Amino acid sequence: MKISLIDIGSNLTHDSFASDRDAVMARAFDAGVRRQVVTGTDGASSNRAAALAAAHPAVLSSTAGIHPHHAQSFDASLRARLSELLRRPQVVAVGECGLDYYRNFSPPEAQRAAFVAQLELAAAAGKPVFLHQREAHADFLAILKDFRGLISGGVAHCFTGGRSELEDYLALDLHIGVTGWVSDERRGQALREAVPHIPGGRLMLETDAPYLLPRDLSPRPKSRRNEPGFLGHIAAAVAHLRGETVEAVAASTTQNAIRFFGLNA
Ligand SMILES: [Zn+2]
């Protein structure tokens, strides 16, 4: 049986795909990735992601949002642009948005303001949020709690936390996005312990390509560029940790993504 997967976080508009994007998309499709949700991280990339998804409606959807690194750029005109993008059918979620206090490329105060504004946009659009959080768990949770009743859903994208962070997210009925981080025996230990405890109805898979090439992928591409076509490798790692077949993980994560993003199956 050929598995069928959905990559809920693919940065397909990234420059590293500029010269061979069609080939990357074809390889992904051949590897069973039937749909990718292309991540928007700022105004320009959200526009590009929406245009790319509109050009390939059978295999691509997109998100529109401002990554916390770019929170400082959030203003009324960006808000209007996101709101316009969110009216398009191929734009299925707000994000990525959230808080990242690891590098603080934007001041925390600006990050919190942009996050709140995007949660308001999600509530108004009736679309879920694609969430990014790094070293900001308490503030992130507090803000989300205020909005949880107003938004249709949220996915903790590139979840790397352990059991207690997982429990906090599940208490807010969030979905959990797992990347190739799960293959990292050094840095991914907490995640590897948490993966078996993610309820089957809350788990989704993502490559975060071109980032986060799975460490144990073989052969490793010389470019070290991750591709959506490697999603099956992540599905296999997750299946192994959960004691499930890869077919079962593919089926449940695909159903979850279809339901969560309201995709045309
Ligand atoms: Zn992220």
Side-chain angles (χ1 to χ4, degrees), residues 62-180:
S62 73
T63 72
I66 309 302
H67 189 285
H69 288 344
H70 308 297
Q72 219 163 2
S73 70
F74 196 89
D75 59 11
S77 88
L78 254 186
R79 180 199 304 261
R81 189 194 301 199
L82 293 183
S83 158
E84 187 277 315
L85 286 170
L86 287 163
R87 283 196 286 273
R88 304 186 192 179
Q90 77 273 27
V91 181
V92 293
V94 179
E96 59 182 297
C97 60
L99 302 175
D100 190 323
Y101 294 173
Y102 177 62
R103 295 197 206 273
N104 279 329
F105 285 139
S106 283
E109 211 176 81
Q111 292 188 38
R112 290 190 289 270
F115 185 28
V116 165
Q118 291 179 85
L119 289 166
E120 289 170 353
L121 284 171
K127 291 184 176 176
V129 282
F130 187 82
L131 298 160
H132 172 105
Q133 188 274 120
R134 192 160 182 197
E135 300 204 358
H137 186 64
D139 281 5
F140 179 80
L141 218 56
I143 292 171
L144 259 183
K145 257 181 197 145
D146 283 345
F147 281 89
R148 185 61 189 92
L150 302 172
I151 55 171
S152 67
V155 56
H157 129 79
C158 191
F159 179 74
T160 57
R163 288 288 298 277
S164 79
E165 223 170 270
L166 175 64
E167 294 307 324
D168 287 343
Y169 287 170
L170 293 176
L172 285 178
D173 198 23
L174 296 187
H175 283 62
I176 308 294
V178 174
T179 62

Side-chain angles (χ1 to χ4, degrees), residues 208-219:
D208 206 22
Y211 312 112
L212 297 179
L213 181 70
R215 278 181 60 86
D216 58 352
L217 191 73
S218 142

